[in-house]
Amino acid sequence: MLDPNLLRNEPEAVATGLARRHFKLDVSALTTLDQQRKSLQIQMEEQRNARNEASREIAQARRQGLDTTEMQNAAGQYGETIKALEQSLEVVLQQWEALVSSLPNIPQASVPDGRDEADNVPVRHWGTPREFSFTPKDHVDLGEALGILDFAAGVRLAGARFVVLRGLGARLERALTQFMLDLHVTAHDYTEIAPPFLANAESLFGTGQLPKFEEDLFALRDDPYYLIPTAEVPLTNLLRGEIVSTLPQRFCAYTPCFRREAGAYGRDTRGMIRQHQFDKVELVQVVRPQDSATALEELTGHAEKILQLLELPYRVMALCAGDMGFSAARTYDLEVWLPGQSQYREISSCSNFESFQARRLQLRYRGEDGKPQLAHTLNGSALAIGRTLVALLENHQQADGSVHIPEVLRPYLGGMEILRA
């Protein structure tokens, strides 16, 4: 959530910042609501002062032995007026809250301008896409031939955009998960968390999924819970409402993730790229404001390390203002090379939210002056496990349909070097 003082004092500056996202802020509605708030608060204060003065006059009249019936009746009107003003103020504040909650974060000045993914800017490349001596297959053909991916069973059990991993496919996914967690815990100093896979509305509001993106979530029919769309939700909410004594805080978790993909119908219907249920290892950092720019570079590097050790070519893209997520102030996407599609595809998104989430969460720390102030939050996928499995199959496939296992994964697969049917 944006700073209310900034919205009240510099609405035009906020509008200019949000215009970079191609988001139009209704400055008139914002200022009108704020003027109504101020007017109602002034009226309430005047009525309370008048009531207090009337109470003093009644008390003085009683001490003089005078009849105060009419004075008390008149004073009673103040209470009714104040109650009506309080109700009006509550309506205005609710309207203000609804408007402010719908506003995305303001992009940092360093974020490139642009409308969509076509305007994202390459930052760096790692590795060189492999040149094959044969026509490479995509992960669907590879996985079905190896007997490890069963898309027909996924449709039969649940519907479109689901898959069943069999045998070595399930084991390979488990190996990738364990490898990622081990690296982040031992080498990158994250605390591993095993969170719930359900979240309440307050948690989803805190990280920015609610109220704006409810249609993308799976909600339980008879209970006040949602299936989590990412471990970012429970990990960041671990510190909701707290004044944290020590920063930085670093958390990582493996969870399944659940998304309707409401805005993606017709896209990536083949294979595992866009699923309603997928597994992911997520990183979250909570830091001091002055450290968040450096923390974003560091966190992105932690995600990159996974790809490097798995020998998967990738590129880092700085997202343009129009392509960033709702809560982000700056985002890097990691895009891995997929030979089966002959293109780079997103496998991780690493974002600095500055104080946007922390304000919604009331997540604070004590500054050098001892006063509570908002922390900055960051998160990144490190990595999306299904897409990592896709990239591994396609990049390390052999002419006979087998798949080479990168050295770092072999200890998690009993020393296996080649995955065969």
Coordinates of all heavy atoms in Angstrom, one line a residue, residues 163-238:
V163 N -0.8 -32.4 -14.3 CA 0.1 -33.5 -14.8 C 0.4 -34.5 -13.6 O 0.4 -34.1 -12.5 CB 1.4 -33.0 -15.4 CG1 2.2 -32.3 -14.3 CG2 2.2 -34.1 -16.1
V164 N 0.6 -35.7 -14.0 CA 1.1 -36.7 -13.0 C 2.5 -37.0 -13.3 O 2.8 -37.3 -14.5 CB 0.2 -38.0 -13.1 CG1 0.8 -39.1 -12.2 CG2 -1.2 -37.7 -12.6
L165 N 3.4 -37.0 -12.3 CA 4.8 -37.4 -12.5 C 4.9 -38.8 -12.0 O 4.5 -39.1 -10.8 CB 5.7 -36.4 -11.7 CG 6.1 -35.1 -12.5 CD1 4.9 -34.2 -12.6 CD2 7.2 -34.4 -11.7
R166 N 5.5 -39.7 -12.8 CA 5.6 -41.1 -12.4 C 7.1 -41.5 -12.2 O 8.0 -41.0 -12.9 CB 5.0 -42.0 -13.5 CG 3.5 -41.8 -13.7 CD 3.0 -42.8 -14.8 NE 1.6 -42.8 -15.0 CZ 0.7 -43.5 -14.3 NH1 1.2 -44.3 -13.3 NH2 -0.6 -43.4 -14.5
G167 N 7.3 -42.4 -11.3 CA 8.6 -43.0 -11.1 C 9.7 -42.0 -11.0 O 9.8 -41.2 -10.1
L168 N 10.7 -42.1 -12.0 CA 11.8 -41.2 -11.9 C 11.5 -39.7 -12.1 O 12.2 -38.9 -11.7 CB 12.9 -41.6 -13.0 CG 13.6 -43.0 -12.7 CD1 14.5 -43.3 -13.9 CD2 14.4 -42.8 -11.4
G169 N 10.3 -39.5 -12.7 CA 9.8 -38.1 -12.8 C 9.6 -37.5 -11.5 O 10.0 -36.4 -11.2
A170 N 8.8 -38.3 -10.6 CA 8.5 -37.8 -9.3 C 9.8 -37.7 -8.5 O 10.0 -36.8 -7.7 CB 7.6 -38.8 -8.6
R171 N 10.7 -38.6 -8.7 CA 12.0 -38.6 -7.9 C 12.9 -37.4 -8.4 O 13.5 -36.8 -7.5 CB 12.7 -39.9 -8.1 CG 14.0 -40.1 -7.2 CD 14.6 -41.4 -7.4 NE 15.8 -41.6 -6.6 CZ 16.6 -42.6 -6.6 NH1 16.4 -43.6 -7.5 NH2 17.7 -42.6 -5.8
L172 N 12.8 -37.1 -9.7 CA 13.6 -36.0 -10.2 C 13.1 -34.7 -9.6 O 13.9 -33.8 -9.2 CB 13.6 -36.0 -11.7 CG 14.3 -34.9 -12.4 CD1 15.8 -34.9 -12.0 CD2 14.2 -35.0 -13.9
E173 N 11.8 -34.5 -9.5 CA 11.2 -33.3 -8.9 C 11.6 -33.2 -7.5 O 11.9 -32.1 -7.0 CB 9.7 -33.3 -9.1 CG 9.1 -32.0 -8.6 CD 7.6 -32.0 -8.8 OE1 6.9 -32.8 -8.2 OE2 7.1 -31.1 -9.6
R174 N 11.5 -34.3 -6.8 CA 11.9 -34.3 -5.3 C 13.4 -34.0 -5.2 O 13.8 -33.2 -4.3 CB 11.6 -35.7 -4.7 CG 12.0 -35.9 -3.3 CD 11.3 -37.0 -2.6 NE 11.3 -38.2 -3.4 CZ 12.2 -39.2 -3.2 NH1 13.2 -39.0 -2.4 NH2 12.1 -40.3 -3.9
A175 N 14.2 -34.5 -6.1 CA 15.7 -34.2 -6.0 C 15.9 -32.7 -6.3 O 16.8 -32.1 -5.6 CB 16.4 -35.0 -7.1
L176 N 15.2 -32.1 -7.2 CA 15.4 -30.7 -7.5 C 15.0 -29.9 -6.3 O 15.7 -28.9 -5.9 CB 14.6 -30.3 -8.7 CG 15.1 -30.7 -10.1 CD1 14.0 -30.6 -11.2 CD2 16.3 -29.9 -10.5
T177 N 13.9 -30.2 -5.7 CA 13.4 -29.5 -4.5 C 14.4 -29.6 -3.4 O 14.8 -28.5 -2.8 CB 12.1 -30.1 -4.0 OG1 11.1 -30.1 -5.0 CG2 11.6 -29.4 -2.8
Q178 N 14.9 -30.8 -3.1 CA 15.9 -30.9 -2.0 C 17.2 -30.2 -2.3 O 17.8 -29.5 -1.4 CB 16.2 -32.4 -1.8 CG 17.0 -32.7 -0.5 CD 16.2 -32.4 0.7 OE1 15.1 -32.8 0.9 NE2 16.8 -31.6 1.6
F179 N 17.7 -30.3 -3.5 CA 18.9 -29.5 -3.9 C 18.7 -28.0 -3.7 O 19.6 -27.4 -3.1 CB 19.2 -29.9 -5.4 CG 20.1 -28.9 -6.0 CD1 21.4 -28.7 -5.6 CD2 19.6 -28.1 -7.1 CE1 22.2 -27.7 -6.2 CE2 20.5 -27.2 -7.7 CZ 21.8 -27.0 -7.3
M180 N 17.6 -27.5 -4.1 CA 17.4 -26.0 -4.0 C 17.4 -25.6 -2.5 O 18.0 -24.7 -2.1 CB 16.1 -25.6 -4.7 CG 16.1 -25.8 -6.2 SD 14.5 -25.3 -6.9 CE 14.7 -25.9 -8.6
L181 N 16.6 -26.4 -1.7 CA 16.5 -26.0 -0.3 C 17.9 -26.1 0.4 O 18.2 -25.3 1.2 CB 15.5 -26.9 0.4 CG 14.0 -26.7 0.1 CD1 13.1 -27.8 0.6 CD2 13.6 -25.3 0.6
D182 N 18.6 -27.2 0.1 CA 19.9 -27.4 0.7 C 20.8 -26.2 0.4 O 21.6 -25.7 1.3 CB 20.5 -28.7 0.3 CG 19.9 -29.9 1.0 OD1 19.1 -29.7 1.9 OD2 20.2 -31.1 0.6
L183 N 20.8 -25.8 -0.8 CA 21.7 -24.7 -1.2 C 21.4 -23.4 -0.5 O 22.2 -22.7 0.0 CB 21.7 -24.5 -2.8 CG 22.7 -23.5 -3.3 CD1 24.1 -24.0 -3.1 CD2 22.4 -23.2 -4.8
H184 N 20.1 -23.1 -0.5 CA 19.7 -21.8 0.1 C 19.9 -21.8 1.6 O 20.2 -20.8 2.2 CB 18.2 -21.6 -0.2 CG 17.9 -21.4 -1.7 ND1 18.7 -20.6 -2.5 CD2 17.0 -21.8 -2.5 CE1 18.3 -20.6 -3.7 NE2 17.2 -21.3 -3.8
V185 N 19.7 -23.0 2.2 CA 19.9 -23.0 3.7 C 21.4 -23.0 4.1 O 21.8 -22.3 5.0 CB 19.2 -24.3 4.3 CG1 19.6 -24.5 5.7 CG2 17.7 -24.1 4.2
T186 N 22.2 -23.8 3.4 CA 23.6 -23.9 3.8 C 24.5 -22.9 3.2 O 25.4 -22.4 3.9 CB 24.1 -25.3 3.4 OG1 24.0 -25.5 1.9 CG2 23.3 -26.4 4.0
A187 N 24.3 -22.5 1.9 CA 25.2 -21.5 1.3 C 24.7 -20.1 1.3 O 25.5 -19.2 1.3 CB 25.4 -22.0 -0.2
H188 N 23.3 -19.9 1.4 CA 22.8 -18.6 1.2 C 22.2 -18.1 2.5 O 21.6 -17.0 2.6 CB 21.7 -18.5 0.1 CG 22.3 -18.9 -1.2 ND1 21.6 -19.4 -2.3 CD2 23.6 -18.8 -1.7 CE1 22.3 -19.6 -3.3 NE2 23.6 -19.2 -3.0
D189 N 22.2 -18.9 3.6 CA 21.8 -18.4 4.9 C 20.3 -18.1 5.1 O 20.0 -17.1 5.7 CB 22.7 -17.3 5.4 CG 22.7 -17.0 6.9 OD1 22.5 -18.0 7.6 OD2 22.9 -15.9 7.3
Y190 N 19.5 -18.9 4.5 CA 18.0 -18.7 4.7 C 17.6 -19.7 5.8 O 18.1 -20.8 5.9 CB 17.3 -19.0 3.4 CG 17.4 -17.9 2.4 CD1 18.5 -17.9 1.5 CD2 16.4 -16.9 2.2 CE1 18.6 -16.9 0.6 CE2 16.6 -15.9 1.3 CZ 17.7 -15.9 0.5 OH 17.8 -14.9 -0.5
T191 N 16.5 -19.3 6.5 CA 15.9 -20.2 7.4 C 14.8 -21.0 6.7 O 13.8 -20.3 6.2 CB 15.3 -19.4 8.6 OG1 16.4 -18.8 9.3 CG2 14.6 -20.4 9.6
E192 N 14.8 -22.3 6.7 CA 13.8 -23.1 6.1 C 12.5 -23.1 6.9 O 12.6 -23.3 8.1 CB 14.3 -24.5 5.8 CG 13.3 -25.3 5.0 CD 13.8 -26.7 4.7 OE1 14.9 -27.0 5.0 OE2 13.0 -27.5 4.2
I193 N 11.4 -22.9 6.2 CA 10.1 -22.9 6.9 C 9.2 -23.9 6.2 O 9.3 -24.0 4.9 CB 9.4 -21.5 6.8 CG1 10.3 -20.4 7.4 CG2 8.0 -21.5 7.4 CD1 10.5 -20.5 8.9
A194 N 8.4 -24.6 6.9 CA 7.3 -25.5 6.4 C 6.0 -24.8 6.7 O 5.4 -25.1 7.8 CB 7.4 -26.9 6.9
P195 N 5.4 -24.0 5.9 CA 4.2 -23.2 6.2 C 3.0 -23.9 5.8 O 3.0 -25.0 5.1 CB 4.4 -22.0 5.4 CG 5.0 -22.5 4.1 CD 6.0 -23.6 4.5
P196 N 1.8 -23.5 6.3 CA 0.5 -24.0 5.8 C 0.4 -23.7 4.3 O 0.9 -22.7 3.8 CB -0.5 -23.2 6.6 CG 0.2 -22.6 7.8 CD 1.6 -22.4 7.3
F197 N -0.4 -24.5 3.6 CA -0.7 -24.3 2.2 C -2.0 -23.6 2.0 O -2.4 -23.4 0.9 CB -0.7 -25.7 1.5 CG 0.6 -26.5 1.6 CD1 0.6 -27.8 1.4 CD2 1.8 -25.8 1.9 CE1 1.8 -28.6 1.4 CE2 3.0 -26.5 2.0 CZ 3.0 -27.9 1.8
L198 N -2.6 -23.3 3.1 CA -3.8 -22.4 3.1 C -3.5 -21.1 3.7 O -2.7 -21.0 4.6 CB -5.0 -23.1 3.8 CG -5.5 -24.5 3.3 CD1 -6.6 -25.0 4.3 CD2 -6.0 -24.3 1.9
A199 N -4.2 -20.0 3.3 CA -4.0 -18.7 3.9 C -5.3 -18.0 4.1 O -6.3 -18.3 3.3 CB -3.1 -17.9 3.0
N200 N -5.4 -17.2 5.1 CA -6.7 -16.4 5.3 C -6.6 -15.1 4.5 O -5.5 -14.7 3.9 CB -6.9 -16.1 6.8 CG -5.7 -15.4 7.4 OD1 -5.0 -14.6 6.8 ND2 -5.6 -15.7 8.7
A201 N -7.7 -14.4 4.4 CA -7.8 -13.2 3.6 C -6.8 -12.1 4.1 O -6.3 -11.4 3.2 CB -9.2 -12.7 3.6
E202 N -6.6 -12.0 5.4 CA -5.7 -11.0 5.9 C -4.3 -11.2 5.4 O -3.6 -10.3 5.0 CB -5.8 -11.1 7.4 CG -5.0 -9.9 8.1 CD -5.2 -9.9 9.6 OE1 -5.7 -10.9 10.2 OE2 -4.7 -8.9 10.2
S203 N -3.9 -12.5 5.3 CA -2.5 -12.7 4.8 C -2.4 -12.4 3.3 O -1.4 -11.8 2.9 CB -2.2 -14.2 5.0 OG -2.1 -14.6 6.4
L204 N -3.4 -12.7 2.5 CA -3.4 -12.4 1.1 C -3.5 -10.9 0.8 O -3.0 -10.4 -0.1 CB -4.5 -13.2 0.4 CG -4.2 -14.7 0.3 CD1 -5.5 -15.5 0.2 CD2 -3.3 -15.0 -0.9
F205 N -4.2 -10.2 1.7 CA -4.2 -8.7 1.6 C -2.8 -8.2 1.9 O -2.4 -7.2 1.2 CB -5.2 -8.1 2.6 CG -5.2 -6.6 2.6 CD1 -5.9 -5.9 1.7 CD2 -4.5 -5.9 3.6 CE1 -5.9 -4.5 1.6 CE2 -4.4 -4.5 3.6 CZ -5.2 -3.8 2.6
G206 N -2.2 -8.7 2.9 CA -0.9 -8.2 3.3 C 0.2 -8.2 2.2 O 1.0 -7.3 2.0
T207 N 0.1 -9.3 1.3 CA 1.1 -9.4 0.3 C 0.6 -8.9 -1.1 O 1.3 -8.9 -2.1 CB 1.6 -10.8 0.1 OG1 0.5 -11.7 0.2 CG2 2.6 -11.2 1.2
G208 N -0.7 -8.4 -1.1 CA -1.2 -7.7 -2.3 C -2.0 -8.5 -3.2 O -2.4 -8.0 -4.3
Q209 N -2.3 -9.8 -2.9 CA -3.1 -10.6 -3.8 C -4.6 -10.2 -3.7 O -5.4 -10.3 -4.7 CB -3.0 -12.1 -3.5 CG -1.7 -12.7 -4.1 CD -0.5 -12.5 -3.2 OE1 -0.6 -12.0 -2.1 NE2 0.7 -12.7 -3.8
L210 N -5.0 -9.8 -2.5 CA -6.4 -9.4 -2.3 C -6.4 -7.9 -2.0 O -5.4 -7.3 -1.4 CB -7.0 -10.1 -1.1 CG -7.4 -11.6 -1.3 CD1 -8.0 -12.2 0.0 CD2 -8.4 -11.7 -2.5
P211 N -7.4 -7.2 -2.4 CA -8.7 -7.7 -3.0 C -8.6 -7.8 -4.6 O -9.5 -8.4 -5.2 CB -9.7 -6.7 -2.6 CG -9.0 -5.4 -2.6 CD -7.6 -5.7 -2.0
K212 N -7.6 -7.2 -5.2 CA -7.6 -7.0 -6.6 C -7.5 -8.3 -7.4 O -8.1 -8.4 -8.5 CB -6.4 -6.1 -7.0 CG -6.4 -5.6 -8.5 CD -5.3 -4.6 -8.7 CE -5.3 -4.1 -10.2 NZ -6.6 -3.4 -10.5
F213 N -6.9 -9.3 -6.9 CA -6.6 -10.5 -7.8 C -7.3 -11.8 -7.2 O -6.9 -12.9 -7.4 CB -5.1 -10.8 -7.9 CG -4.4 -9.6 -8.5 CD1 -3.6 -8.8 -7.7 CD2 -4.5 -9.3 -9.8 CE1 -3.0 -7.7 -8.2 CE2 -3.8 -8.3 -10.4 CZ -3.1 -7.4 -9.6
E214 N -8.5 -11.6 -6.6 CA -9.2 -12.7 -6.1 C -9.6 -13.7 -7.1 O -9.6 -14.9 -6.9 CB -10.5 -12.2 -5.3 CG -11.2 -13.4 -4.6 CD -12.2 -12.9 -3.6 OE1 -12.5 -11.7 -3.6 OE2 -12.7 -13.7 -2.8
E215 N -9.9 -13.3 -8.4 CA -10.3 -14.2 -9.4 C -9.2 -15.2 -9.8 O -9.4 -16.2 -10.4 CB -10.8 -13.5 -10.6 CG -9.7 -12.7 -11.4 CD -10.1 -12.1 -12.7 OE1 -11.3 -12.2 -13.0 OE2 -9.3 -11.6 -13.4
D216 N -7.9 -14.9 -9.5 CA -6.8 -15.7 -9.8 C -6.6 -16.8 -8.7 O -5.7 -17.7 -8.9 CB -5.5 -14.9 -9.9 CG -5.6 -14.0 -11.1 OD1 -6.3 -14.3 -12.1 OD2 -4.9 -13.0 -11.1
L217 N -7.3 -16.7 -7.6 CA -7.1 -17.6 -6.4 C -8.1 -18.7 -6.4 O -9.2 -18.6 -6.9 CB -7.2 -16.8 -5.1 CG -6.2 -15.6 -5.0 CD1 -6.5 -14.9 -3.7 CD2 -4.8 -16.1 -5.0
F218 N -7.7 -19.8 -5.8 CA -8.7 -20.9 -5.5 C -9.1 -20.7 -4.0 O -8.3 -20.8 -3.1 CB -8.0 -22.3 -5.6 CG -7.8 -22.7 -7.0 CD1 -6.6 -22.7 -7.6 CD2 -8.9 -23.2 -7.8 CE1 -6.4 -23.1 -9.0 CE2 -8.7 -23.6 -9.1 CZ -7.5 -23.5 -9.7
A219 N -10.4 -20.5 -3.8 CA -11.0 -20.3 -2.5 C -11.8 -21.5 -2.1 O -12.4 -22.2 -2.9 CB -11.9 -19.1 -2.5
L220 N -11.7 -21.9 -0.8 CA -12.5 -23.0 -0.3 C -13.9 -22.5 -0.2 O -14.2 -21.4 0.2 CB -12.0 -23.4 1.1 CG -10.8 -24.4 1.1 CD1 -9.6 -23.9 0.5 CD2 -10.5 -24.9 2.5
R221 N -14.8 -23.4 -0.5 CA -16.2 -23.0 -0.6 C -16.9 -22.7 0.7 O -17.6 -21.7 0.8 CB -17.0 -24.2 -1.3 CG -18.5 -23.9 -1.5 CD -19.1 -25.0 -2.2 NE -18.6 -25.1 -3.6 CZ -18.8 -26.1 -4.4 NH1 -19.6 -27.1 -4.1 NH2 -18.3 -26.2 -5.6
D222 N -16.6 -23.4 1.7 CA -17.4 -23.2 3.0 C -16.5 -22.8 4.2 O -16.9 -22.7 5.3 CB -18.1 -24.5 3.4 CG -19.1 -25.0 2.4 OD1 -19.8 -24.1 1.9 OD2 -19.1 -26.2 2.1
D223 N -15.2 -22.4 3.9 CA -14.3 -22.0 4.9 C -13.6 -20.7 4.4 O -13.4 -20.5 3.2 CB -13.3 -23.1 5.2 CG -13.9 -24.3 5.8 OD1 -14.4 -24.2 7.0 OD2 -14.0 -25.4 5.2
P224 N -13.1 -19.9 5.4 CA -12.5 -18.6 5.0 C -11.0 -18.7 4.6 O -10.2 -18.0 5.2 CB -12.7 -17.8 6.3 CG -12.6 -18.8 7.4 CD -13.3 -20.0 6.9
Y225 N -10.7 -19.7 3.8 CA -9.3 -19.9 3.4 C -9.2 -19.9 1.9 O -10.1 -20.2 1.1 CB -8.8 -21.2 3.9 CG -8.9 -21.4 5.4 CD1 -9.8 -22.3 6.0 CD2 -8.1 -20.6 6.3 CE1 -9.9 -22.4 7.4 CE2 -8.2 -20.7 7.6 CZ -9.1 -21.6 8.2 OH -9.1 -21.7 9.5
Y226 N -8.0 -19.7 1.4 CA -7.6 -19.8 0.0 C -6.4 -20.7 0.0 O -5.5 -20.7 0.9 CB -7.2 -18.4 -0.5 CG -8.3 -17.4 -0.5 CD1 -8.6 -16.6 0.6 CD2 -9.0 -17.1 -1.7 CE1 -9.6 -15.7 0.6 CE2 -10.0 -16.1 -1.8 CZ -10.3 -15.4 -0.6 OH -11.2 -14.5 -0.6
L227 N -6.3 -21.4 -1.2 CA -5.0 -22.2 -1.4 C -4.0 -21.1 -1.8 O -4.2 -20.2 -2.6 CB -5.2 -23.2 -2.6 CG -6.3 -24.3 -2.4 CD1 -6.4 -25.1 -3.6 CD2 -5.8 -25.2 -1.2
I228 N -2.8 -21.3 -1.3 CA -1.7 -20.2 -1.5 C -1.3 -20.2 -3.0 O -1.1 -21.3 -3.6 CB -0.5 -20.4 -0.6 CG1 0.1 -21.8 -0.8 CG2 -0.9 -20.2 0.9 CD1 1.5 -21.9 -0.1
P229 N -1.2 -19.1 -3.6 CA -0.6 -19.0 -5.0 C 0.9 -19.0 -5.0 O 1.5 -19.2 -6.1 CB -1.2 -17.6 -5.4 CG -1.2 -16.8 -4.2 CD -1.6 -17.7 -3.1
T230 N 1.5 -18.8 -3.9 CA 3.0 -18.8 -3.8 C 3.3 -18.8 -2.3 O 2.6 -18.3 -1.4 CB 3.6 -17.6 -4.4 OG1 5.0 -17.4 -4.0 CG2 2.9 -16.3 -4.1
A231 N 4.5 -19.3 -1.9 CA 4.9 -19.3 -0.5 C 5.3 -17.9 0.0 O 5.5 -17.7 1.1 CB 6.1 -20.2 -0.3
E232 N 5.4 -17.0 -1.0 CA 5.6 -15.6 -0.6 C 4.5 -15.1 0.5 O 4.8 -14.4 1.4 CB 5.4 -14.7 -1.8 CG 5.3 -13.2 -1.5 CD 4.8 -12.4 -2.7 OE1 4.7 -13.0 -3.8 OE2 4.5 -11.2 -2.6
V233 N 3.3 -15.7 0.3 CA 2.2 -15.2 1.2 C 2.5 -15.7 2.6 O 2.5 -14.8 3.5 CB 0.8 -15.8 0.7 CG1 -0.3 -15.4 1.7 CG2 0.5 -15.2 -0.7
P234 N 2.6 -16.9 3.0 CA 2.9 -17.3 4.4 C 4.2 -16.8 4.9 O 4.3 -16.4 6.0 CB 2.8 -18.8 4.4 CG 3.1 -19.2 3.0 CD 2.5 -18.2 2.1
L235 N 5.3 -16.8 4.0 CA 6.6 -16.4 4.5 C 6.6 -15.0 4.9 O 7.2 -14.6 6.0 CB 7.7 -16.7 3.5 CG 8.0 -18.2 3.1 CD1 9.1 -18.3 2.1 CD2 8.3 -19.0 4.4
T236 N 6.1 -14.1 4.1 CA 6.1 -12.7 4.4 C 5.2 -12.4 5.6 O 5.5 -11.5 6.4 CB 5.7 -11.8 3.2 OG1 6.4 -12.3 2.0 CG2 6.0 -10.4 3.4
N237 N 4.1 -13.1 5.7 CA 3.2 -12.9 6.8 C 3.6 -13.4 8.1 O 3.0 -13.2 9.2 CB 1.8 -13.5 6.5 CG 0.9 -12.5 5.7 OD1 0.2 -11.7 6.2 ND2 1.0 -12.6 4.3
L238 N 4.8 -14.2 8.1 CA 5.3 -14.6 9.4 C 5.6 -13.5 10.4 O 5.5 -13.6 11.6 CB 6.6 -15.4 9.2 CG 6.5 -16.8 8.6 CD1 7.9 -17.3 8.3 CD2 5.8 -17.7 9.6

